[in-house]
Amino acid sequence: MSDSGAEERDQQEEQPGRRDTRRLPTLDKESGDKESGGKGAGDRGSGGRGPGDQGPGDRHPDDERSGAGPGGRGGADDGRTRRFWSARRVPAAVVALVVLGAAGLLLYDVAAVRAHRPAMAWRRWLARELAIRHLDSPWVLGAAALAVVLGIWLIVLAVTPGLRQLLPMRPVAPDVRAGLDRSAAALVLRDRAMEVAGVQSVRMTVSRRKATAHAVSHFRALDEVRADLDTALGEGLRQLGLAHRFGLTVHVRRPKKR
């Protein structure tokens, strides 16, 4: 025992650098992966995210204002936002009443003839006129033209949305649709234009796709006033939240001399 201990001490003295050398502890690779994976899962489970991460339910306020979702486009570029359709209650009611009255009157007259009673005077007159008048008669051509015009009018009412005064706005919820009246939009833009320095009066018109401003400036250069109006009205159009992009035309002139 003494000889082996002496030899070990001699070896340590010959190699002084090995006195402080220790073997580092090693971890199994699988166990390390499990521990690191569990730690990462615990971090994710606790709701921790990096500064640049964004969860599926998070939305930026600008996205909500513009109507854009994760992976979607804003309402201003979305062609699926359609106009409001009119119910057409008055034309539908008029047509229904006319058809109902004519059908009821004709049915009554046919039933009266079937009951061996004389036909009404208007039916005898209509049958006689159709028998003696030719197709090139002015009355026949006029009645045919009137029927064609009425038919085209009804078709146009059926296939067009109507409500031209109502501008669709960007959708902010799946089941909610909003619209803005054109006169209200023109009033808001007029107020924005009157805030520009040098503007004396403004006449604002808003169509379905374009806003036009006719301004009168009593001081400042016209180019400067026009540039400020372009900026103010462009920002006003953006803040209106309309679904479609609007064109903007600005006209500036001096007041008329008296």
Side-chain angles (χ1 to χ4, degrees):
M1 294 293 292
S2 61
D3 294 339
S4 61
E7 291 178 0
E8 186 177 355
R9 286 194 299 270
D10 294 338
Q11 291 177 1
Q12 291 180 359
E13 290 177 359
E14 291 176 359
Q15 298 178 2
R18 295 182 59 183
R19 293 179 181 179
D20 300 331
T21 302
R22 298 179 181 179
R23 186 177 180 181
L24 296 176
T26 59
L27 296 177
D28 189 18
K29 186 176 181 181
E30 295 180 358
S31 62
D33 293 340
K34 292 180 180 178
E35 291 179 3
S36 61
K39 184 178 180 180
D43 293 341
R44 290 193 297 269
S46 61
R49 290 196 299 265
D53 297 338
Q54 185 175 2
D58 297 339
R59 296 184 64 183
H60 196 273
D62 294 339
D63 295 341
E64 295 181 357
R65 286 194 298 266
S66 61
R73 294 185 299 176
D77 298 331
D78 192 0
R80 293 177 297 179
T81 304
R82 302 183 182 276
R83 291 173 52 191
F84 291 87
W85 280 74
S86 174
R88 311 288 192 189
R89 293 184 177 89
V90 175
V94 171
V95 173
L97 290 176
V98 170
V99 172
L100 181 62
L105 189 61
L106 181 61
L107 181 62
Y108 175 81
D109 190 59
V110 170
V113 172
R114 292 292 182 180
H116 305 288
R117 292 184 179 182
M120 292 185 177
W122 68 268
R123 188 179 176 189
R124 295 196 301 268
W125 174 83
L126 182 61
R128 184 174 61 255
E129 291 295 327
L130 291 176
I132 63 176
R133 291 187 180 274
H134 299 284
L135 296 179
D136 57 351
S137 173
W139 289 100
V140 175
L141 294 178
L146 179 61
V148 170
V149 170
L150 290 177
I152 294 176
W153 177 64
L154 293 177
I155 293 175
V156 170
L157 291 180
V159 300
T160 55
L163 296 180
R164 297 178 61 88
Q165 294 293 328
L166 197 60
L167 302 174
M169 302 180 68
R170 287 194 296 264
V172 296
D175 298 331
V176 177
R177 294 189 64 192
L180 181 64
D181 192 81
R182 282 163 51 180
S183 59
L187 183 60
V188 172
L189 294 177
R190 177 186 175 277
D191 292 341
R192 292 293 299 267
M194 290 299 297
E195 296 176 357
V196 176
V199 175
Q200 182 179 8
S201 62
V202 179
R203 181 171 57 87
M204 200 77 202
T205 57
V206 177
S207 63
R208 289 183 52 240
R209 294 287 185 175
K210 186 178 180 181
T212 305
H214 297 271
V216 177
S217 175
H218 56 294
F219 70 94
R220 295 182 66 195
L222 296 182
D223 293 338
E224 297 178 359
V225 176
R226 185 179 297 108
D228 291 346
L229 283 174
D230 286 334
T231 302
L233 294 178
E235 182 67 17
L237 283 173
R238 188 188 66 81
Q239 292 180 356
L240 287 178
L242 300 176
H244 303 290
R245 296 186 182 276
F246 264 65
L248 178 62
T249 303
V250 178
H251 302 281
V252 183
R253 62 178 179 84
R254 294 296 185 191
K256 296 180 179 180
K257 296 181 178 180
R258 297 181 180 179

